[in-house]
Amino acid sequence: MKPAKDQSWEHWRGVDPVCGMKVDPSEPKGGSALWNGVTFGFCSARCRERFVASPETFLFATDPVCGMRVTRGNAPGGSVKHEGQEFWFCSRHCRDRFLAKAPVSESPATTEEYTCPMHPEVRQIGPGSCPVCGMALEPVSGAWEEGGGELRDLQKRLAVGTVLTIPVLALAMGSMLLPFQLSWPPGAQHWLELVLATPVVWYSGWPFFERAWRSVLARSPNMFTLIGLGVFTAWAYSVVATWWPGILPAGVGHGAEVPVYFEAAAGIVVLVLVGQVLELRARKRTGAALRGLLSLIPAVAVRVEADGREHEIPVSEVRRGDVLRIRPGAKIPLDGVVIEGATVVDESMLTGESVPVPKQIGAPLIGGTVNGSGSILMRVERVGEDTVLAQIVRLVREAQRTRAPIQRLADQVAGVFVVGVLAIAGVTFAAWLWFGPEPRVAYAMVNAVAVLIIACPCALGLATPMSIMVATGRGAQAGVLVKNAEALEVLERVDLLLADKTGTLTLGKPEVQEVHCFDHLSADELLALVASLEQASEHPVAKAIVEAARQRGVSLTTPAEVEVEPGGGVSGVVSGKRVVAGSPAFAQHKGSEIASAGEVVSRLQENGATVVLVIVDRVPAGVIGLLDPVRESAQETVRELSAEGIQVVMLTGDHRRAAELVAQRLGIREFIAEVSPVEKAGWVDEYRRRGHIVAMIGDGVNDAPALARAHVSFAVASGTDIAMASASVTLLHGDLRGVLRARRLSRATMRNVRENLFLAFFYNALAIPIAAGALYPVWGLLLNPMIAAAAMSFSSVSVIGNALRLYRVRL
């Protein structure tokens, strides 16, 4: 594809390039991203994340008339809205041609967006073919219509082509198959083959000619350029030989009837159609994981009305705040919380963990999981695109459109491959015409066509994206959500993992063990002040303090002037008192005198507790000690990671004694304690400078800077949104076992990609010389164009079939 004609980005200043919303260019809410030296602002972290995954998707568009790439929002030819989609043009001429052929429709046939698996920047409403590579587009949603669209059209063309090609092959090869010689009037057999083969070429093969012509207009030669040229050459030569055999060079007929190749032209079309049908069916299977996730949502839910009556309604009619009855063995339809009863829930389809999770009043529920033996009532808290399952599907779809760095090799080769093949075909034709035996023109034409057909680079282009597409779906089934292909590629080379302690190595659910008060406040009063400050926080320590206050029946008030320092603590005004709660270092930083609390703080820290020092009006008022249980699986997982060559380093903002006790229990040799968020990011940089490929796993706001600096970053789904937005991999089950699964997925994926690239490169390296006739001087062997077409189709299907093997990878 040609580069964009206009690459001025000033029109994006103050505008989110993903959703088009206005943003403050100096301080955008969703942050900013640097691309090609230009800074873009975003309205939300989600928009920023989508942009970083595939910036060209939002900055560029393809002129639907000439195929030129132009910049969205600033294309020289302006834009036109047609059937729910906005098209951009390189010139007024292209825009006028588009309007002449595509008037605005009052009722668009479809609003489904389609894209190319090899070129994610190509987007359009409705099915079609890619202007760059010619491949059939697929739905962005992954929801292929069963038997519809492109597949149904190709199957119809294949049926017609097969019915007409069989008699053409029988006529052309009858003398070899039958024990007797058929007697035909001069030229009659050729005319019959012409009548039968022409509909195959121009009806069944029309999509190939159409794509070949588009590739010429877009100046982007691809596999269909070769197919269209090869089929047309064979058919056109045969037509000339049938209508005007006398104009061919002397010796073509070699004293006999002039040879024709209608059977080759028709056979190539049918065999390529077979390959395309098989490829489309195989590509549909790459979305099986997503369709499996979507199928977890039941069609109906049992809603409980205010008067206690229960009745079934479609899930689409459920609204936030509705109360649903979940019966034993039923699927949970949407996200919510238990408000009555107790049960266990099988969450294995989302987290990969087979052990059922106990659920009591207040416990969260995820849509798509399966209820155990208990009957419960739940209150719906998230519906539609806000549910965990919908977010998982969205993340996986976006990841499937990203490109791994290893794909650059395939892109660079494919960029010059077609031109090289055309040159080889030309040399082959000239060599046979000059040095070949009689009939020279026939030999030259057949071998040149064989080179054109067999060298199609489709397998090379499919090698990486098909593996990435299957792998991201397989990862989603195991609770590993990979946001981009680059993370999959880098992950296999990771040799050091920086792990946050709270919520990753520990359960992330600390419990208040001790409330020590000084002279002027009671334990309940102290909890009331701190819990009032912490009630809006998502940090595990804050949640534990709020929960302890509620268990004691302490009433909370609304704080004022709240200031939060991630990794430090919180301060504000509660009931007219200035309250500071956090680490001793944070309290001292706020100007408080903490010496009088030193003995209590030291005692709790020596026992491994996390300490929250409470300062009221600059005077130490008390200390809250919390303990966070270590995850049962953490010790075994650390051992397995070490066995795979990954060094685990614990990185935490907690005090040294608590970190030391956890590290000793888990067998972690190196740990770094009492670090701020900035220092965490600094340690990531330090290990990178030492030559390590660094992965970081965390779950809190204070982990976000470090997550953003690591080569590969993991966030647990139970953590904060900003941590998940900063990470390249999200783990639905928040512990180190997810890292093991992700690494095994990465190793299997990259092995699969390399196998695919080897198949594609080896196939072309071997097939092109054979098609050109390299074996003819030694063994007298030539490659029939029909065999070349079958081999070309087989190479593409074999690459897709190899990618589908990733579904069986044990993680």
Side-chain angles (χ1 to χ4, degrees):
M1 181 183 289
K2 294 182 66 177
K5 192 172 182 179
D6 185 338
Q7 292 193 6
S8 171
W9 308 111
E10 186 62 28
H11 57 284
W12 288 121
R13 179 173 174 79
V15 178
D16 187 321
V18 176
C19 65
M21 289 185 63
K22 291 185 177 181
V23 295
D24 182 352
S26 60
E27 193 175 350
K29 289 184 178 180
S32 60
L34 186 67
W35 185 82
N36 278 9
V38 181
T39 301
F40 297 88
F42 303 90
C43 69
S44 65
R46 179 185 172 188
C47 283
R48 179 185 178 276
E49 176 188 325
R50 293 181 63 193
F51 178 86
V52 170
S54 182
E56 293 191 354
T57 300
F58 304 103
L59 299 180
F60 296 111
T62 301
D63 187 319
V65 177
C66 67
M68 178 175 285
R69 190 165 69 166
V70 295
T71 54
R72 293 180 182 271
N74 196 33
S79 66
V80 168
K81 285 191 175 181
H82 173 61
E83 296 188 346
Q85 184 185 10
E86 192 162 17
F87 295 90
W88 300 89
F89 302 90
C90 70
S91 65
R92 300 287 298 181
H93 175 69
C94 283
R95 181 177 181 275
D96 293 342
R97 287 182 61 190
F98 180 85
L99 290 174
K101 294 185 178 182
V104 176
S105 171
E106 294 296 332
S107 55
T110 178
T111 58
E112 178 72 68
E113 190 175 23
Y114 281 66
T115 187
C116 173
M118 289 168 55
H119 300 88
E121 70 274 11
V122 174
R123 300 276 180 126
Q124 73 174 46
I125 300 298
S129 59
C130 175
V132 182
C133 66
M135 288 184 64
L137 303 181
E138 60 187 32
V140 171
S141 67
W144 290 79
E145 178 188 352
E146 188 64 32
E150 182 81 7
L151 179 59
R152 182 171 52 199
D153 178 65
L154 292 183
Q155 287 174 329
K156 182 171 66 175
R157 294 178 187 274
L158 175 60
V160 173
T162 301
V163 169
L164 294 176
T165 299
I166 290 175
V168 174
L169 293 174
L171 288 170
M173 306 173 66
S175 59
M176 293 183 286
L177 300 176
L178 299 176
F180 53 89
Q181 185 71 32
L182 293 174
S183 178
W184 292 91
Q189 179 177 334
H190 291 178
W191 281 101
L192 184 55
E193 289 181 22
L194 170 63
V195 171
L196 292 170
T198 299
V200 178
V201 171
W202 292 105
Y203 170 71
S204 298
W206 180 251
F208 307 148
F209 291 123
E210 191 175 41
R211 296 175 189 182
W213 181 243
R214 288 185 66 187
S215 74
V216 173
L217 292 178
R219 301 179 186 178
S220 178
N222 53 50
M223 60 173 287
F224 292 101
T225 314
L226 305 180
I227 293 172
L229 183 59
V231 171
F232 178 78
T233 301
W235 177 84
Y237 168 86
S238 301
V239 169
V240 172
T242 301
W243 278 80
W244 308 283
I247 71 172
L248 292 174
V252 168
H254 200 57
E257 197 170 30
V258 177
V260 294
Y261 297 95
F262 288 117
E263 80 283 0
I268 289 169
V269 168
V270 170
L271 288 170
V272 175
L273 278 171
V274 169
Q276 289 290 293
V277 169
L278 292 176
E279 179 186 309
L280 283 174
R281 288 179 175 174
R283 282 166 56 190
K284 285 176 63 177
R285 288 187 59 196
T286 62
L290 288 185
R291 291 192 294 275
L293 287 174
L294 291 171
S295 68
L296 295 176
I297 297 299
V300 296
V302 179
R303 184 164 64 189
V304 180
E305 304 296 345
D307 58 5
R309 289 181 303 158
E310 300 180 2
H311 60 276
E312 290 189 348
I313 62 171
V315 169
S316 59
E317 296 181 9
V318 177
R319 298 292 179 263
R320 184 177 179 181
D322 284 354
V323 176
L324 304 180
R325 168 71 66 184
I326 310 298
R327 294 168 178 153
K331 289 183 178 180
I332 296 170
L334 296 164
D335 296 0
V337 63
V338 179
I339 60 174
E340 181 181 303
T343 186
V344 293
V345 174
D346 179 3
E347 298 181 345
S348 60
M349 65 285 296
L350 292 178
T351 65
E353 296 297 324
S354 58
V355 179
V357 181
K359 300 289 183 179
Q360 297 178 340
I361 294 176
L365 298 171
I366 301 175
T369 55
V370 180
N371 185 26
S373 58
S375 178
I376 58 174
L377 291 180
M378 68 170 289
R379 182 177 64 250
V380 177
E381 295 189 339
R382 288 189 293 270
V383 298
E385 291 297 316
D386 295 329
T387 64
V388 169
L389 192 58
Q391 293 175 31
I392 291 172
V393 171
R394 187 185 70 251
L395 284 172
V396 175
R397 285 173 181 162
E398 292 174 355
Q400 289 179 340
R401 310 299 173 200
T402 61
R403 313 186 73 156
I406 196 173
Q407 192 172 344
R408 296 170 189 160
L409 172 64
D411 291 343
Q412 291 170 356
V413 173
V416 298
F417 190 80
V418 175
V419 176
V421 169
L422 291 172
I424 293 172
V427 171
T428 300
F429 184 87
W432 278 93
L433 192 64
W434 189 261
F435 301 108
E438 297 292 351
R440 293 181 178 179
V441 174
Y443 274 117
M445 189 273 297
V446 168
N447 287 288
V449 169
V451 170
L452 291 173
I453 298 301
I454 204 169
C456 288
C458 185
L460 182 62
L462 287 171
T464 301
M466 288 299 106
S467 296
I468 297 299
M469 193 173 294
V470 176
T472 49
R474 176 67 183 94
Q477 291 178 326
V480 178
L481 303 183
V482 183
K483 293 186 181 180
N484 57 69
E486 183 175 1
L488 264 182
E489 181 172 338
V490 175
L491 187 53
E492 70 165 352
R493 298 186 283 112
V494 166
D495 61 0
L496 185 137
L497 174 67
L498 293 174
D500 177 55
K501 178 177 72 70
T502 305
T504 305
L505 299 174
T506 62
L507 290 177
K509 296 179 180 179
E511 298 176 352
V512 174
Q513 300 293 318
E514 181 177 337
V515 180
H516 185 95
C517 300
F518 298 128
D519 297 335
H520 57 287
L521 287 178
S522 68
D524 285 356
E525 290 173 330
L526 186 73
L527 279 176
L529 291 174
V530 181
S532 295
L533 265 183
E534 300 276 23
Q535 58 186 321
S537 174
E538 292 293 322
H539 194 279
V541 170
K543 289 182 177 180
I545 294 174
V546 173
E547 180 62 26
R550 287 175 176 168
Q551 288 178 357
R552 295 189 181 208
V554 175
S555 59
L556 306 183
T557 60
T558 303
E561 302 178 25
V562 177
E563 295 181 5
V564 178
E565 182 177 308
V570 61
S571 62
V573 177
V574 181
S575 301
K577 297 181 175 67
R578 172 67 62 176
V579 180
V580 175
S583 67
F586 174 72
Q588 193 170 25
H589 172 70
K590 286 292 184 179
S592 303
E593 176 57 49
I594 65 171
S596 60
E599 183 179 346
V600 177
V601 170
S602 298
R603 176 177 59 80
L604 289 172
Q605 289 180 340
E606 188 65 26
N607 294 328
T610 297
V611 171
V612 175
L613 178 59
V614 185
I615 307 295
V616 177
D617 293 333
R618 295 185 177 274
V619 178
V623 179
I624 301 175
L626 304 94
L627 286 176
D628 187 7
V630 173
R631 290 183 182 271
E632 294 180 2
S633 63
Q635 185 175 11
E636 180 184 353
T637 308
V638 168
R639 186 168 57 250
E640 290 186 42
L641 287 168
S642 299
E644 293 198 7
I646 300 179
Q647 177 186 356
V648 180
V649 177
M650 186 170 68
L651 198 62
T652 177
D654 211 342
H655 63 89
R656 182 175 181 80
R657 180 56 181 167
E660 184 179 11
L661 291 174
V662 172
Q664 288 176 351
R665 182 171 177 181
L666 298 180
I668 296 176
R669 297 179 181 178
E670 185 177 351
F671 66 91
I672 303 164
E674 301 178 3
V675 291
S676 67
V678 174
E679 290 172 335
K680 283 186 177 182
W683 277 106
V684 172
D685 291 338
E686 174 61 26
Y687 281 111
R688 291 185 62 157
R689 280 193 295 270
R690 295 179 187 179
H692 291 286
I693 304 297
V694 180
M696 170 75 188
I697 178 171
D699 68 336
V701 172
N702 58 320
D703 299 320
L707 291 171
R709 304 290 278 273
H711 288 101
V712 180
S713 49
F714 297 88
V716 297
S718 58
T720 61
D721 291 340
I722 189 170
M724 288 186 281
S726 301
S728 47
V729 182
T730 298
L731 305 177
L732 294 182
H733 195 79
D735 65 10
L736 291 184
R737 283 177 294 185
V739 177
L740 273 174
R741 294 190 188 101
R743 180 172 168 82
R744 289 165 184 167
L745 177 67
S746 170
R747 295 171 68 177
T749 302
M750 298 316 300
R751 182 170 59 248
N752 192 272
V753 167
R754 294 184 186 102
E755 290 169 354
N756 282 347
L757 290 174
F758 172 79
L759 286 172
F761 280 119
F762 177 77
Y763 166 83
N764 281 298
L766 183 66
I768 292 177
I770 295 176
L775 300 181
Y776 184 80
V778 182
W779 291 293
L781 295 178
L782 291 175
L783 192 64
N784 187 288
M786 286 189 294
I787 303 300
M792 183 273 295
S793 298
F794 174 76
S795 68
S796 299
V797 175
S798 65
V799 164
I800 298 175
N802 187 54
L804 291 173
R805 290 173 51 241
L806 288 171
Y807 278 131
R808 299 193 295 272
V809 171
R810 292 179 61 85
L811 302 180

